[in-house]
Amino acid sequence: MATREPETGWHGENSDVNHLRGRAFEATCLAATAFGLVSVMLLLLFVANDAFRPFSADAGWLATYAATVVVPLAALAVYYYRLDEPAGEVAYVTSGLPVVGLLLTGGFAVLFIELLSVLEWFALLISLVVAGGLIVAHGRLRPKAALERLGVVFLSPVITVFGLPPTRFNWFVTDAAAALGLDFGLYYRVISLREAIMLLPFVPTDWAMLLLTLVLPVAGAAGWFVKQRRESRRDGLAVVGMTTAVAVLGVVAGPLLGIGTDVWLLIVTFAVLPLGVYVEGVIRRGEGVCGLAFPVVAVLGVVVGGVVTGALGFAGPDPWLDWGFLTSATSRTAADAGIYPAMVGSVMMIIVIVLTTFPVGVGAAIYLEEYAPSQGLMGKFVTLIEINIGNLAGVPSVVYGLLGLALFIRVLQWPQGSIIVAGLAVGLLILPIVIISAQEAIRSVPDSFRQASYGMGATRWQTIRQVVLPEALPGILTGTILALGRAIGETAPLLMIGAAASVRLAPNSFFDVASMMPRQIFSWSSELDPSFRHGVLAAGVITLLAVLLVMNATAIVIRNRYQRTG
Amino acid sequence: MTENEMTSNDSTEPTPTTETAASSPDPSGDPLIEQSIDVEGTGDTAGETGEPVIESRDLNVFYGETQALQGIDLAIPEKQVTAMIGPSGCGKSTFLRCINRMNDLIDAARVEGDLYFEGKNVYDADVDPVALRRRIGMVFQHPNPFPKSIYDNVAYGLRIQDQTEDIDEKVETALKRAALWDEVKDQLDKSALDLSGGQQQRLCIARAIAVDPDVILMDEPASALDPIATSKIEDLIEELAEEFTVVIVTHNMQQAARISDKTAVFLTGGELVEFDDTDKIFENPESQRVEDYITGKFG
């Protein structure tokens, strides 16, 4: 048992090991990081204060809401964190799902108000479904004819959506049709299925079309998911049935409550359905049921707070960022100014970017990772290209603006400051980022999967399509969403291509001149009236940041799911 | 013809024979079989075995500047287990990957010489490596099931080869032949990554045999597994040899001795030193170097 007595004290007692330099380095790094973070946080606090002006409210109002909303929610949060972590996750999801669902609802509502009518949407979707059906049917009937299949894949959407351009053959057909009394009003071209649907003398009502093209497919997907998850056909059918019932009920009852039928259907699809499926799952599993209290408490708190402040006559704050700001156009008076047209412009720009940059960027990444040679002269060329993609990611955004100006406006003569030009210019800006992040995602797919697939006699295309892309997709999506976050905040290219400083009406075509959120914010910053520079500007910044936050949160959620399964 | 024969005899000299092999239209079916009988007659392989299904002639492989295989001449008989043993870096895996042209996937790899599969040189210009790999299945060192369900893993080969009839039945048969059916029949929808290492490797074997290939190549299939899983794989390999030609690369000499009918010994530098019946290699090898290697004096 006797331990040996140290002769000269314990090792290191006279500190012959020098830790000073390491400690100093650590402290410097920490200080620099903290300085950066704290200064940004302070700025954001200032901006948020300007946007919401919480201190313009009565102290009683603040105290009431603190008591009814903040304190109970904080208490619940602490409880979940300490004692019931699964409930915490349930609380998090049940609060987040409606927010995301309502955002999606808002997005689709804007889509139907500004961009295309429900009828156009219906016709477009039906045509695409028919095109898809043709492709699948061809695959079933003639599985071997690869070249023919390529033709079908390209032609069927073109024919169903766009129709055929005028040719001599079509003159004959339309003349013959006209002679027979079938007058479509479109001479010398074969009209597409989409146009034919729009020319129909009887069309279903808007809500019926939405029910068919939006509610039922989403409900069907959810039902299928539930069926797979629980291996119960009945549960899946129940999901579809209940969703349809709630949707139809809302259509009948909605006008009484003052909710438009279209909006109701959108809410059912994007908010009620996912929330319902999730909540039902939580209750059935019986794990973390307490978490459901969180959103209930939040809603109750707001209602109670509203009643109390109304009864006691406490005045609320007068924020710059309110419903009016989000739904109205900018104005000469700061109090009436809003960001709605710029928001629509930003969303439409994002649509252009997603439709162009995502396929090009992912395609380039697939080529560089899976096809491009790594040896010989071509290999050197590919390396050169990869290095230059890295460099392009660092080219200043104003230069991309110049490229957009030269290429799309001067050469292609597209309207200056239009959404399509803005989207393409900013899309070029984020293209290198999309390529690089997609390359990373593809590279992270273990090579053993590719080996296994090739060893089975799969072609390169089969391997990419069935093994590599499914594995890489979450990573690709994460990177793309982060890049889109960068795109939505870019200002310099918008200035270069002449995006409008501010517009009164939301754009309703991709060739309309529009303003985007950062451009609008920039023009507010040079207004003479200080309430623009402080209040309205801050409200715009907060809106932009909120959109960014939602996008980044989505990216993080996708990444986490991916890490959990992978 | 004669030129080929000559180069195949002095195998140590790596002459660039691809030019002749690619340009001369000679490697058609009949004369090749004739020639392979010649090779057997010279006593390179033992007489009692079946027809050689895979045969290499003066096969050289380079990775960039390094030569990984030096003039390999080898005839692998049908429906038997042929083992390849040798120290690390001796080129045995490289040889295996030449058979189904997996080396094509490595840009730096360059193959010279001929490799005949059922009488056809697989390095001919008109051979599609994809079609070749559909007849020569492969099992890798580390179990590498796809991150899909067990069922989808086994069905993968059937689906990519457009064999869409009776998939359920074929999946069941393959899993039974791989001795995995009883363990997974109730959880075919579960992810293959949830299986144990040994089960994953048997799943990979099931995946390879589901498409009913002629040959199965195995690259150290048991080296990442524990002894019990290893013995299951070994039993399985012996059973598979009744229907398939099995070529297995292994580090483990006891394993080669236990399961193989023929053994090829590769030694450092990518040379094939000796190829003969397994009993002969392990009991009475002709080369002193092989004896040293087998008795553990080096390697």
Side-chain angles (χ1 to χ4, degrees):
Chain A
M1 279 302 287
T3 50
R4 203 173 56 166
E5 287 293 319
E7 286 163 24
T8 56
W10 198 73
H11 299 292
E13 205 168 52
N14 35 10
S15 68
D16 43 3
V17 184
N18 188 353
H19 288 292
L20 186 65
R21 273 172 299 184
R23 295 252 164 78
F25 177 72
E26 187 189 345
T28 320
C29 290
L30 182 67
T33 319
F35 173 75
L37 289 180
V38 166
S39 50
V40 173
M41 288 289 281
L42 280 180
L43 172 75
L44 289 185
L45 271 181
F46 263 105
V47 173
N49 183 39
D50 275 349
F52 293 110
R53 297 208 293 173
F55 298 110
S56 63
D58 291 345
W61 188 91
L62 290 175
T64 313
Y65 272 100
T68 57
V69 181
V70 179
V71 172
L73 288 189
L76 269 180
V78 169
Y79 168 75
Y80 294 144
Y81 182 70
R82 282 285 174 79
L83 298 172
D84 200 356
E85 262 190 54
E89 193 181 315
V90 170
Y92 178 69
V93 177
T94 42
S95 322
L97 264 184
V99 173
V100 174
L102 288 177
L103 275 174
L104 270 176
T105 307
F108 267 83
V110 169
L111 181 80
F112 286 130
I113 292 166
E114 303 295 346
L115 259 184
L116 75 178
S117 69
V118 175
L119 177 59
E120 282 169 319
W121 158 266
F122 178 75
L124 181 68
L125 214 70
I126 295 285
S127 318
L128 286 177
V129 167
V130 170
L134 280 178
I135 295 169
V136 171
H138 179 263
R140 287 274 163 78
L141 290 176
R142 295 173 62 93
K144 301 280 178 204
L147 208 66
E148 202 176 286
R149 194 168 160 71
L150 209 65
V152 172
V153 166
F154 277 105
L155 275 183
S156 41
V158 169
I159 292 175
T160 51
V161 177
F162 299 107
L164 291 176
T167 61
R168 236 162 234 297
F169 170 74
N170 297 348
W171 293 2
F172 176 74
V173 171
T174 40
D175 280 345
L180 289 172
L182 296 167
D183 187 352
F184 289 112
L186 288 164
Y187 285 101
Y188 301 137
R189 54 182 292 248
V190 173
I191 61 166
S192 64
L193 182 65
R194 181 178 64 92
E195 288 158 317
I197 293 174
M198 290 178 59
L199 287 169
L200 284 180
F202 306 104
V203 289
T205 50
D206 278 6
W207 68 264
M209 289 192 286
L210 271 185
L211 193 70
L212 271 179
T213 53
L214 203 68
V215 181
L216 281 182
V218 176
W224 184 81
F225 176 75
V226 169
K227 177 182 153 256
Q228 291 297 104
R229 214 46 187 294
R230 307 201 191 140
E231 287 164 7
S232 156
R233 210 180 147 74
R234 216 176 44 113
D235 286 4
L237 284 177
V239 168
V240 180
M242 296 246 296
T243 311
T244 317
V246 171
V248 173
L249 203 70
V251 167
V252 179
L256 303 176
L257 297 167
I259 303 173
T261 50
D262 298 356
V263 174
W264 172 256
L265 289 180
L266 292 174
I267 291 178
V268 168
T269 314
F270 295 119
V272 177
L273 169 63
L275 192 66
V277 170
Y278 183 77
V279 169
E280 198 272 335
V282 169
I283 293 174
R284 204 174 42 81
R285 264 174 285 153
E287 194 187 6
V289 181
C290 303
L292 297 178
F294 193 84
V296 174
V297 167
V299 171
L300 274 183
V302 170
V303 170
V304 171
V307 170
V308 170
T309 49
L312 297 178
F314 293 135
D318 182 20
W320 287 106
L321 177 56
D322 54 9
W323 186 245
F325 179 79
L326 293 176
T327 53
S328 57
T330 187
S331 155
R332 210 166 291 177
T333 51
D336 299 333
I339 203 170
Y340 178 71
M343 217 151 68
V344 176
S346 275
V347 170
M348 286 171 71
M349 185 182 83
I350 288 289
I351 293 176
V352 173
I353 296 175
V354 169
L355 290 182
T356 53
T357 309
F358 182 70
V360 173
V362 175
I366 292 174
Y367 175 78
L368 289 173
E369 283 302 311
E370 300 288 325
Y371 288 97
S374 67
Q375 295 282 314
L377 204 62
M378 272 307 283
K380 292 220 172 66
F381 183 62
V382 168
T383 315
L384 191 74
I385 287 181
E386 285 189 346
I387 290 171
N388 277 308
I389 290 173
N391 286 336
L392 284 176
V395 168
S397 54
V398 71
V399 179
Y400 280 100
L402 190 66
L403 173 66
L405 179 67
L407 186 61
F408 303 118
I409 295 174
R410 297 280 184 266
V411 175
L412 294 179
Q413 301 281 323
W414 284 346
Q416 189 173 359
S418 60
I419 290 173
I420 183 111
V421 173
L424 290 178
V426 179
L428 280 175
L429 164 73
I430 64 161
L431 184 61
I433 309 174
V434 172
I435 295 177
I436 291 171
S437 60
Q439 268 186 292
E440 292 289 337
I442 292 170
R443 209 174 298 153
S444 71
V445 176
D447 218 28
S448 65
F449 292 164
R450 292 188 189 87
Q451 298 269 334
S453 178
Y454 287 129
M456 294 297 301
T459 60
R460 202 175 277 234
W461 168 243
Q462 284 170 327
T463 303
I464 292 170
R465 172 72 192 71
Q466 304 196 22
V467 178
V468 178
L469 276 189
E471 270 301 284
L473 199 61
I476 292 175
L477 283 182
T478 310
T480 308
I481 292 172
L482 292 177
L484 287 179
R486 165 103 194 268
I488 205 171
E490 274 302 334
T491 322
L494 303 181
L495 294 173
M496 288 301 280
I497 56 128
S502 52
V503 287
R504 294 299 162 92
L505 283 175
N508 48 27
S509 133
F510 287 105
F511 285 89
D512 275 2
V513 176
S515 184
M516 290 85 194
M517 280 197 276
R519 179 71 189 89
Q520 179 70 68
I521 290 170
F522 181 70
S523 56
W524 280 330
S525 75
S526 52
E527 290 272 354
L528 280 177
D529 183 354
S531 52
F532 267 109
R533 279 182 276 130
H534 294 289
V536 179
L537 177 93
V541 169
I542 292 292
T543 314
L544 185 59
L545 285 180
V547 174
L548 271 179
L549 207 67
V550 170
M551 290 174 79
N552 287 3
T554 315
I556 290 168
V557 167
I558 293 174
R559 185 165 53 199
N560 286 353
R561 271 198 81 85
Y562 167 60
Q563 280 170 348
R564 211 179 297 168
T565 55
Chain B
M1 276 311 298
T2 44
E3 193 184 322
N4 263 352
E5 220 166 350
M6 274 164 61
T7 45
S8 70
N9 286 337
D10 54 0
S11 55
T12 44
E13 189 110 350
T15 44
T17 51
T18 19
E19 301 302 312
T20 52
S23 56
S24 65
D26 60 355
S28 55
D30 297 350
L32 293 171
I33 290 168
E34 200 178 275
Q35 197 187 20
S36 69
I37 291 166
D38 271 2
V39 174
E40 271 188 13
T42 57
D44 237 29
T45 56
E48 33 146 348
T49 59
E51 289 275 294
V53 65
I54 296 160
E55 202 178 341
S56 73
R57 303 263 173 77
D58 192 24
L59 192 74
N60 295 290
V61 177
F62 303 85
Y63 291 122
E65 297 298 308
T66 345
Q67 186 161 8
L69 282 182
Q70 299 193 0
I72 304 296
D73 293 286
L74 191 63
I76 293 169
E78 201 174 7
K79 296 197 176 163
Q80 294 201 359
V81 180
T82 304
M84 317 226 157
I85 59 173
S88 298
C90 68
K92 52 195 189 307
S93 291
T94 301
F95 180 78
L96 195 74
R97 296 164 63 89
C98 282
I99 298 175
N100 63 348
R101 288 186 65 173
M102 285 295 274
N103 280 332
D104 289 19
L105 302 173
I106 303 167
D107 282 333
R110 186 159 52 88
V111 179
E112 289 174 359
D114 304 329
L115 195 143
Y116 296 97
F117 170 61
E118 295 183 344
K120 173 77 179 163
N121 185 352
V122 300
Y123 286 95
D124 277 351
D126 61 340
V127 170
D128 182 356
V130 171
L132 177 73
R133 289 180 205 131
R134 291 182 177 186
R135 299 188 53 199
I136 304 182
M138 188 156 191
V139 177
F140 297 84
Q141 180 173 8
H142 293 279
N144 57 355
F146 299 119
K148 302 172 188 274
S149 71
I150 294 171
Y151 180 92
D152 286 340
N153 261 283
V154 184
Y156 182 80
L158 297 167
R159 287 187 179 138
I160 58 166
Q161 299 187 16
D162 288 328
Q163 300 180 15
T164 39
E165 297 104 42
D166 314 325
I167 288 193
D168 288 352
E169 215 172 283
K170 285 176 183 166
V171 167
E172 188 180 330
T173 318
L175 283 170
K176 278 180 178 159
R177 275 153 106 186
L180 192 61
W181 176 252
D182 291 334
E183 290 159 61
V184 301
K185 65 183 172 206
D186 299 324
Q187 39 180 351
L188 292 176
D189 285 340
K190 237 176 74 175
S191 168
L193 300 179
D194 293 343
L195 297 175
S196 73
Q199 287 174 323
Q200 287 190 4
Q201 193 61 300
R202 276 179 283 152
L203 180 67
C204 291
I205 294 175
R207 184 175 65 185
I209 60 182
V211 292
D212 203 22
D214 300 330
V215 178
I216 300 174
L217 309 178
M218 297 188 172
D219 191 353
E220 301 182 33
S223 68
L225 305 178
D226 65 74
I228 294 169
T230 302
S231 81
K232 279 188 185 168
I233 299 275
E234 287 181 4
D235 293 346
L236 183 56
I237 290 170
E238 285 185 75
E239 270 169 46
L240 289 177
E242 287 166 17
E243 285 172 79
F244 305 99
T245 307
V246 179
V247 185
I248 176 170
V249 162
T250 177
H251 263 309
N252 181 333
M253 279 180 278
Q254 286 76 32
Q255 186 174 60
R258 277 195 297 270
I259 61 174
S260 69
D261 303 303
K262 291 264 187 185
T263 300
V265 184
F266 287 71
L267 289 179
T268 318
E271 272 180 88
L272 172 63
V273 182
E274 196 163 344
F275 176 54
D276 214 324
D277 285 349
T278 301
D279 303 342
K280 178 140 191 312
I281 293 274
F282 281 93
E283 282 158 20
N284 186 21
E286 291 190 357
S287 155
Q288 185 60 41
R289 291 168 69 198
V290 171
E291 192 168 349
D292 288 349
Y293 176 64
I294 285 170
T295 52
K297 285 195 184 140
F298 87 101

